[in-house]
Amino acid sequence: MKILGQTLQQQGLQYRRAIANLSSTALCANVNAIKDLATPAQVIAMVKANGYGHGIRSVAGRLADHVFALGVASVDEAIALRAHGIQSKIILMEGVLCRDDLPLVSSLALDLVVHDKAHLEWLAVHRDPIHDVWVKADIGMGRLGFFPEHIRGVFDQLRTFSHVRGTLRLLGHLSHADSPKHPINHTQISVFSNLVKHLQVPASLCNSAAIASFPQCHYDFIRPGISLYGASPIDEDHAVFSKLKPVMTVKSRLIAIKNYAKGQGIGYGHDFICPQPMRVGVISFGYGDGYPRSVRSGAPVLVNQHLCPLVGRISMDMMTVDLTACGSAAVGDEVVLWGDGLPITEVERFSGISRYELFTNVQNRVKFIWDDI
C-alpha cells in the first residue's frame, strides 16, 4: 500500500484515469450572473441530486454564504449537509415522506414544503417548533401541490398551528418553462399571479428556464438549478445563459493509439467500419464512468484542444476516437469529454440523454478535483 500511495503522490491526481475538474470560480460567476438578472429576488440554490452530480457537500459549502437558501429533495440530503457543518437555510422541496420525519425537520431547523393533505394531518399532531413553511400549488404541472381552489384553506389551517412559527410562503412550478413560447405558460402564470394577489404572501415560481424567459414572474425568490452549474436549461439563445461557465469539466486520457486499414471494424459489434486508413485512439472512460452508452459515432471530444469524433460503440471502461484531426496525439494525452471548451449539450445531441441526466450520471470512479483545494 505504501508503494501504491507513493505512486499516486508522484503522479499527482491529474493523472488519474477519470477526472472531473470543478471550478469554484465558475460556480460563483454563475450565481452572480443569475442574481444580476433577477434582483431583487433572492436565490434558492438547488443542490438536490448530489448537487446535480457535482457533489452536494462541495457545492453547498461554496454556495451557502451567497444565497438565501439551499434546496434539497430529501431529509437524508439535509442531514448530510447539517453533518457537514452547513448552517444556512435548507428547504425540503418534496416535503416529508412520513410523520416520523417531522421531528428531524424541527431538530435540524429545516424549512418544510407542504403539498399534500397528509402533511397537514401530521402537522396537526406534531408539537415541536417548525420554522418557515412553503405551500406548494399545482398550477398545472400535474405533480406535487394543492389545487389552486384549496390553497387559501391550507394557509388558513397552517395559521392555526401554534408550533408553525415562521413565515408562510407560496411555491409554484411551470410545466413548460423550457418551451417559453408554449401558450400554457401564460395560463399557469395567470393562475399563480392570482393566488399571490389574493394571499399576499412571499412567493416563488421560477426555475432556471423560467428565470430567463419570464422576468415578470421572479416574485420574491427564484430557484436556479442547472444554470448554477453552467448549462442552459433551454435550447434557445439567451443573453444570461451565454454568460454561464461550466463548473464541471470531465476528462480522461488516451491509453492506446493504433493504425487501422480501410475496412477494419472498431469495437463491439463493429458498429464502425474504417472508410479509409485511420489512426484511432482509445480513451480510458466509458459508460461505467457515466458516459452514455447510447452516444453515436461522430460525437466530439477534445484531444489536445482539437475536436475529434468518437467512433464505434461506447464500452464500460473505454471509447475510441478518430485522431485524424490531431496528428500530434500521443498516449497519455488529455481528452475532454465535456466542459470547458466543449458544451455538455454536444453529448446530449449525440446521445438523446438530457444534460440533467448526464450530470447526475457521473459515477464514483471519477475523481472530483475542485480548483480551490
Side-chain angles (χ1 to χ4, degrees):
M1 292 302 294
K2 183 177 181 181
I3 294 174
L4 175 61
Q6 288 174 341
T7 300
L8 289 176
Q9 186 176 17
Q10 290 166 358
Q11 289 182 336
L13 288 172
Q14 67 270 27
Y15 289 101
R16 297 288 289 273
R17 63 171 293 276
I19 290 174
N21 286 131
L22 296 116
S23 171
S24 297
T25 302
L27 184 63
C28 291
N30 294 340
V31 172
N32 289 333
I34 294 165
K35 283 182 176 179
D36 289 343
L37 180 70
T39 299
Q42 298 186 79
V43 173
I44 300 168
M46 304 308 295
V47 298
K48 60 182 182 175
N50 196 29
Y52 282 58
H54 292 64
I56 188 170
R57 296 170 183 84
S58 298
V59 168
R62 288 166 173 81
L63 289 176
D65 292 338
H66 303 284
V67 298
F68 173 77
L70 303 170
V72 300
S74 69
V75 171
D76 288 341
E77 289 177 335
I79 290 172
L81 293 184
R82 289 290 189 241
H84 191 62
I86 303 296
Q87 298 301 315
S88 59
K89 180 183 285 291
I90 297 174
I91 305 174
L92 285 177
M93 304 305 298
E94 293 184 11
V96 291
L97 297 182
C98 63
R99 177 181 166 184
D100 291 343
D101 282 342
L102 284 176
L104 287 170
V105 173
S106 295
S107 63
L108 296 173
L110 307 178
D111 280 23
L112 178 65
V113 170
V114 171
H115 58 75
D116 190 89
K117 64 179 183 180
H119 293 160
L120 298 174
E121 294 168 359
W122 299 339
L123 280 170
V125 295
H126 180 71
R127 289 294 173 260
D128 295 329
I130 298 287
H131 195 55
D132 294 358
V133 171
W134 305 70
V135 177
K136 187 71 173 282
D138 184 353
I139 57 173
M141 180 70 182
R143 205 171 56 180
L144 299 181
F146 298 96
F147 291 121
E149 61 268 25
H150 299 145
I151 291 294
R152 180 177 290 279
V154 173
F155 274 87
D156 289 343
Q157 186 170 353
L158 286 169
R159 290 187 177 110
T160 68
F161 297 155
S162 60
H163 53 291
V164 176
R165 299 178 179 178
T167 303
L168 299 181
R169 299 185 175 97
L170 180 69
L171 285 176
H173 202 99
L174 297 174
S175 62
H176 289 64
D178 55 354
S179 301
K181 295 180 182 178
H182 198 291
I184 200 170
N185 286 307
H186 298 290
T187 301
Q188 294 175 4
I189 287 169
S190 178
V191 171
F192 192 78
S193 176
N194 285 331
L195 286 173
V196 175
K197 178 181 178 181
H198 288 100
L199 292 168
Q200 292 294 301
V201 293
S204 175
L205 176 64
C206 292
N207 63 356
S208 288
I211 289 166
S213 300
F214 305 106
Q216 75 278 17
C217 299
H218 290 163
Y219 293 104
D220 303 281
F221 306 96
I222 56 171
R223 308 192 303 272
I226 200 165
S227 57
L228 291 172
Y229 307 100
S232 172
I234 58 178
D235 293 327
E236 298 179 17
D237 292 334
H238 193 284
V240 68
F241 296 137
S242 67
K243 298 178 183 178
L244 299 178
K245 303 177 185 298
V247 174
M248 175 192 291
T249 298
V250 177
K251 300 178 179 179
S252 187
R253 293 187 179 272
L254 292 172
I255 59 171
I257 296 176
K258 300 176 74 174
N259 293 306
Y260 288 101
K262 178 180 178 179
Q264 173 66 56
I266 302 296
Y268 285 120
H270 284 182
D271 287 358
F272 181 85
I273 305 296
C274 297
Q276 66 266 332
M278 291 179 63
R279 192 165 178 255
V280 175
V282 180
I283 302 167
S284 183
F285 204 100
Y287 63 78
D289 303 290
Y291 198 88
R293 190 174 184 269
S294 61
V295 166
R296 309 184 306 276
S297 290
V301 297
L302 281 175
V303 182
N304 293 338
Q305 299 304 310
H306 294 276
L307 281 173
C308 297
L310 295 177
V311 292
R313 194 180 299 178
I314 306 298
S315 302
M316 182 179 288
D317 313 298
M318 292 174 279
M319 60 182 75
T320 43
V321 58
D322 175 5
L323 295 175
T324 302
C326 187
S328 63
V331 170
D333 283 351
E334 183 176 270
V335 181
V336 173
L337 305 178
W338 73 68
D340 190 15
L342 184 61
I344 196 170
T345 49
E346 286 297 295
V347 183
E348 180 181 75
R349 185 163 67 93
F350 279 87
S351 68
I353 294 175
S354 79
R355 61 208 78 173
Y356 297 85
E357 190 173 348
L358 290 170
F359 277 146
T360 55
N361 278 351
V362 177
Q363 300 298 304
N364 58 11
R365 296 201 302 179
V366 179
K367 179 65 179 179
F368 280 35
I369 305 172
W370 285 87
D371 59 2
D372 55 354
I373 293 180

